[in-house]
Amino acid sequence: MNVSFNKRDPVYIQVVRQFKERIATGTFEPGQEIPSRRELANQLKINPNTAQRAYKEMEEEGLIYTEGNNPSRITKDEHVLAAVRGELLEEAVDSFMTSIRRIQIPFDELVEVMKEKYQEQSGKEGGEIK
Amino acid sequence: MNVSFNKRDPVYIQVVRQFKERIATGTFEPGQEIPSRRELANQLKINPNTAQRAYKEMEEEGLIYTEGNNPSRITKDEHVLAAVRGELLEEAVDSFMTSIRRIQIPFDELVEVMKEKYQEQSGKEGGEIK
DNA sequence: TAGAATGTATTAAACGATTAATACACTTTT
DNA sequence: AAAAGTGTATTAATCGTTTAATACATTCTA
């Protein structure tokens, strides 16, 4: 587990995002057991309630499920799983589009700028320390 | 003046951004007089101090200047003016790249998704009501 | 069976930033 | 000269969210 957080976004949101990324990239398998709230809290040095908050969030989105008081698991719902990556992507693109909409930049120029950045960033493993 | 703000970002930041967009797209000319703090506050229905905060921000970035207690003006500094658009763009791209870095999406696919969105959004005039 | 581990719920505290209130100095205008 | 308009500075209040404290019910385990 990567224990780096930025201090701009709430911790619980960042935890959720990490899980989504791991689901999207296949690091998590369907039905896979995930750490208990308290264990995750220990690992990440966060408050157990913060972990709980993140899990609750994910549960409401159908990303994980919990039966009885057993450790929660990654959902097996193929639809949900398949959608995660697309949602992350779409979210990012939408937000991006919104922020450049008014600058009136031609699409080609946009692609050009991005191409440069894309190469620069290849191989980087982002995240700021708290 | 567009009087729509989203409630996620601070008002003074959004004001700064609007000015930057207007500079970037040429709506504001070098040396052009801009509204006084109190007048802008009236127009946008915001607190005068919030307007002041926005102007202070812009003054520190060299976007505007103030001589004596005359109304502030858009800078005439060509370097600054030329940089505004690039900064807005780069900022957006950077933030975008950060958010998709870990999803491992091929550049071509990315361009594809964006192309669709780009067309969809053509002609839209964004901004949420407070 | 006692203890430790689960998940869960309720309530309180802390925190930080933004926004607002107020006052001051100066200049222009009436 | 008075009034209204500038920009500026200092300090206080507001605000919402996040984080934390605490307790409870259940289940597994030693």
Side-chain angles (χ1 to χ4, degrees):
Chain A
M1 269 287 180
N2 206 345
V3 283
S4 56
F5 295 109
N6 70 58
K7 55 185 175 184
R8 187 181 152 205
D9 304 309
V11 171
Y12 80 98
I13 292 284
Q14 295 182 59
V15 171
V16 170
R17 182 172 179 93
Q18 282 210 9
F19 272 83
K20 285 186 179 175
E21 285 169 351
R22 283 158 195 266
I23 289 175
T25 56
T27 305
F28 279 141
E29 307 262 319
Q32 178 174 341
E33 192 172 289
I34 59 178
S36 78
R37 278 74 169 159
R38 291 172 176 86
E39 191 182 333
L40 182 74
N42 261 340
Q43 289 177 8
L44 303 184
K45 316 289 183 200
I46 62 179
N47 190 284
N49 286 300
T50 304
Q52 159 65 4
R53 173 104 189 237
Y55 277 22
K56 188 181 178 189
E57 201 81 8
M58 290 193 281
E59 191 131 25
E60 285 171 356
E61 294 186 35
L63 292 172
I64 65 175
Y65 66 94
T66 311
E67 287 169 343
N69 62 347
N70 301 315
S72 304
R73 295 176 174 277
I74 303 293
T75 183
K76 296 172 183 169
D77 185 327
E78 295 296 344
H79 284 90
V80 173
L81 291 171
V84 172
R85 181 169 178 275
E87 278 171 21
L88 286 180
L89 183 55
E90 190 153 336
E91 224 176 82
V93 172
D94 279 354
S95 154
F96 181 46
M97 289 299 179
T98 297
S99 64
I100 63 163
R101 187 183 301 158
R102 315 208 190 189
I103 311 181
Q104 301 175 347
I105 180 174
F107 189 72
D108 293 342
E109 184 183 346
L110 189 55
V111 173
E112 230 14 77
V113 176
M114 287 181 51
K115 194 181 290 178
E116 291 171 20
K117 291 283 173 185
Y118 197 82
Q119 290 166 345
E120 276 180 30
Q121 287 198 354
S122 289
K124 282 198 185 176
E125 184 74 21
E128 306 147 29
I129 302 297
K130 189 172 193 178
Chain B
M1 268 291 180
N2 205 345
V3 284
S4 57
F5 295 110
N6 70 59
K7 55 185 176 184
R8 186 182 153 204
D9 304 309
V11 172
Y12 79 98
I13 292 284
Q14 296 182 60
V15 171
V16 170
R17 181 171 181 96
Q18 282 210 10
F19 272 83
K20 286 186 179 176
E21 285 169 352
R22 282 158 194 266
I23 289 175
T25 55
T27 305
F28 279 142
E29 307 262 320
Q32 177 174 342
E33 193 173 286
I34 59 177
S36 78
R37 277 73 170 161
R38 291 171 176 84
E39 191 183 334
L40 182 75
N42 261 340
Q43 288 178 8
L44 304 183
K45 316 289 183 200
I46 62 178
N47 190 283
N49 287 298
T50 304
Q52 159 65 3
R53 173 101 190 242
Y55 277 21
K56 188 182 178 189
E57 201 80 8
M58 290 193 281
E59 191 131 25
E60 285 170 357
E61 293 185 35
L63 292 171
I64 66 175
Y65 66 94
T66 310
E67 288 169 344
N69 62 346
N70 301 316
S72 304
R73 294 177 175 277
I74 303 292
T75 184
K76 296 172 183 168
D77 185 325
E78 294 296 344
H79 283 89
V80 173
L81 291 171
V84 172
R85 182 169 178 276
E87 278 171 20
L88 286 181
L89 183 54
E90 189 153 337
E91 223 175 83
V93 172
D94 278 354
S95 152
F96 180 47
M97 288 299 180
T98 298
S99 65
I100 63 162
R101 187 184 301 159
R102 314 206 191 187
I103 310 180
Q104 301 175 349
I105 180 173
F107 190 72
D108 294 340
E109 184 182 346
L110 190 55
V111 172
E112 226 19 71
V113 176
M114 287 182 52
K115 193 181 290 178
E116 292 170 21
K117 291 282 175 187
Y118 198 81
Q119 290 166 343
E120 277 179 32
Q121 287 198 351
S122 289
K124 283 198 185 177
E125 185 72 22
E128 306 148 27
I129 302 295
K130 192 171 192 176

